[in-house]
Amino acid sequence: MNESSTLRRGLASALAAYVMWGLLPLYFRALHAVPPLELVGWRVLFTVPVCFVIISFRKQWPDVRAALTSGHVLGLLVLSALLIGSNWLIFVIAINSGHVLATSLGYYINPLINVVLGTVFLGERLTRVQWMAVALAGAGIALLLGGALDTLAVALSLAFTFAFYGFVRKKAPVGAVPGLTIETVLLVAPALVIVWLGAVSPAGSALAMGGHETPLLIASGVATAIPLLLFAVAARSLPLSTLGFVQFLSPTLSFILGLTVFGEALDATRLACFALIWAAIALYSWDMVKRARQA
């Protein structure tokens, strides 16, 4: 596949993944009766068979075995599994605690963290205008120290776990589907412990709740695997800075949902923070377009 085709495939995958992620608050809000830790456990367990089906269809089991026999690759995937598992848990807790806007802010910040990671670790160079954009985002984050620490904690934890997840996955020489399969398999043991503890608790297993919770829990494997697989494809096909630019779609959808569907309040401090982040995104995007036209 030539470079142009690779970039087109990566861009299409990124767009699809971020639309799905932007709408995820609706999905997990419908599962608010399920304890967050148990919900993540079921997500892992129901994602594994989805990955196995895809791996079998694409005949990629040799790639899985190759990754498992490489200590370097396996070590990177252990780290990426821990990062994505942590990100899932933080996201679910935030949604069910009424912090949809905080998750939106976290994923607005994430692309700019990707830019910094690409600069520091991958040798990608930023222009003066792009550094100004990063500084604006930093000023927006600093505002939250003055009276919105709960929003700051959620936003930064989501942003950093997902930024480093993307960075580690880009460094791991393994395909998108085999990599995700190994990551979820690595999380199976703790997931089994979590769902077992839920089953023996006085409330019983969330899977036995009935109603809409049971089918939604079962479908969480598909809802988790598909966008994450698309993201993994995009992460390996696009420059890290470009991937961060496309990600603006997801937090925008979540921001709209937070204000409309979930009815969250946007006080002056948070509004000022968002305004600075949006200004940073606009400045960075303008510089990218300008450089693309010059090229």
Side-chain angles (χ1 to χ4, degrees), residues 1-14:
M1 184 177 294
N2 59 40
E3 183 178 356
S4 177
S5 298
T6 299
L7 289 175
R8 285 198 300 270
R9 183 187 67 170
L11 184 59
S13 298

Side-chain angles (χ1 to χ4, degrees), residues 214-237:
T214 298
L216 285 180
L217 274 178
I218 294 172
S220 65
V222 174
T224 298
I226 299 305
L228 198 55
L229 286 170
L230 291 169
F231 171 79
V233 171
R236 292 183 60 80
S237 303

